[in-house]
Amino acid sequence: MKRVKLRTELMLLAICSLLSLAACNSKDNKVKESESSSFVVTDVHTTDDQALVTKEKDTSSDEESLDTFSSDDSRTDAYNKEQQNGNFEGEGKEENLEMSVSEDINESTEVETLNSIGSLLEPDASEMVDEVVVENIKAMPAESKVLVYETNAVTLAACFYAEEIQPSVYMRMENKSFGEECTTSLESLRYVRVLHFGFDGEIYIGELVVNQLIADDIIDIFKELFDARYPIERMVLVDNYSADDNQSMAANNSSAFNYRVVDGTSKLSNHAYGLAIDINPLYNPYVRTIDGEEVILPENGSEYADRSLDNPYYIVKGDVCYNAFIKRGFTWGGNWEKSKDYQHFQKVFE
């Protein structure tokens, strides 16, 4: 009996020691979390109900962690309102203050980091790719916001890539941009992922489907636009809008492949071959005259047909977007004589 009692006491002592150690580690982790100087956080901001994923890499340790949180907007809003109204007492208020200070520090750190990043188009040869960061960003869905606290140009450049159309991508395209009548082979298309700056100045993940003939050009173009902090509001597959070009344009979605004809004709568009791309289409509409009447698409972009307006989202001859495409052999719809397609760049092969 004495041995059993002693063994039980030793077991209880061991359990208490483990619990105490875990509590200490937890406290230390909180300190590391606020003091961590080398990490990238990816934050999902999409229209769908998707998980928010945060990835942190601490240079002082080889350990890595992946935490998943709910992105339920209603609960988040309710929590924020309670915080603002001061409904949390004692420790809750202190934690809220710590969070606010941490957010301010992180925001400042992100700005400093972005200012210090070199060219993604021509990164420093001495830089090393952080594969953990790259894989984490690759795992995020398009339209996610990427918060950068510390990284380098070569790591972000590795997030620009093209690959063959995978089954998961084809399932999104099937009977939409890639219908039964499509004569463009799936093998000739590539799924492209890039990073781009949004209208809010934050970094987002963009996606396109293009012809393999222009995939490398597109990657370099968007690296150049990233270097210039060129704003693109949204870049997801047109299939998110059931391959309805008008809906996609109205949402100011930049897109490429879509097996369709030129509006108002029976002629296949160069989008049908994946050889054309539209940039910020709401602010750079398609303008043409039919039976003496001016027709503008998208309709909600009518006011932007006036190119004399001072608008930062206009594509104009000689600007960074125009030059990035033109010097790689693309032509611009804004230079057409009979109509003007200010959003449109294409590259035609004989």
Side-chain angles (χ1 to χ4, degrees), residues 235-293:
M235 193 190 310
V236 295
L237 301 191
V238 70
D239 306 280
N240 283 24
Y241 302 90
S242 299
D244 186 317
D245 189 49
N246 289 324
Q247 287 186 23
S248 179
M249 288 191 294
N252 202 31
N253 179 53
S254 300
S255 66
F257 173 77
N258 189 7
Y259 193 81
R260 62 175 178 82
V261 297
V262 176
D263 188 73
T265 76
S266 58
K267 178 185 176 182
L268 278 177
S269 164
N270 279 308
H271 286 281
Y273 306 107
L275 296 173
I277 180 171
D278 295 335
I279 304 293
N280 288 334
L282 174 63
Y283 298 94
N284 298 281
Y286 177 32
V287 184
R288 67 196 192 285
T289 301
I290 300 178
D291 297 329
E293 183 179 349

Side-chain angles (χ1 to χ4, degrees), residues 133-145:
V133 170
V134 174
E135 291 305 312
N136 187 38
I137 292 177
K138 283 184 176 182
M140 305 303 296
E143 210 175 358
S144 300
K145 181 166 73 173

Side-chain angles (χ1 to χ4, degrees), residues 5 86 93 95 109 114 122-123 127 145 154 171 183 186 190 211 226 235 270 283 307 319 339-341:
K5 184 177 180 181
K93 285 187 177 180
E95 289 180 357
T109 304
L114 290 176
E122 299 177 353
E127 293 180 348
K145 181 166 73 173
V154 73
M171 287 177 63
T183 57
L186 200 64
R190 293 293 181 269
N211 195 293
F226 187 95
M235 193 190 310
N270 279 308
Y283 298 94
R307 307 308 283 183
D319 72 8
S339 62
K340 300 292 183 183
D341 199 353

Side-chain angles (χ1 to χ4, degrees), residues 191-211:
Y191 176 70
V192 175
R193 292 254 296 197
V194 301
L195 299 177
H196 67 91
F197 281 87
F199 283 4
D200 57 0
E202 300 284 359
I203 299 173
Y204 290 87
I205 298 173
E207 62 176 356
L208 296 164
V209 169
V210 302
N211 195 293

Side-chain angles (χ1 to χ4, degrees), residues 16-27:
C16 290
S17 298
L18 287 173
L19 290 174
S20 177
L21 179 62
C24 290
N25 287 338
S26 176
K27 184 176 181 180

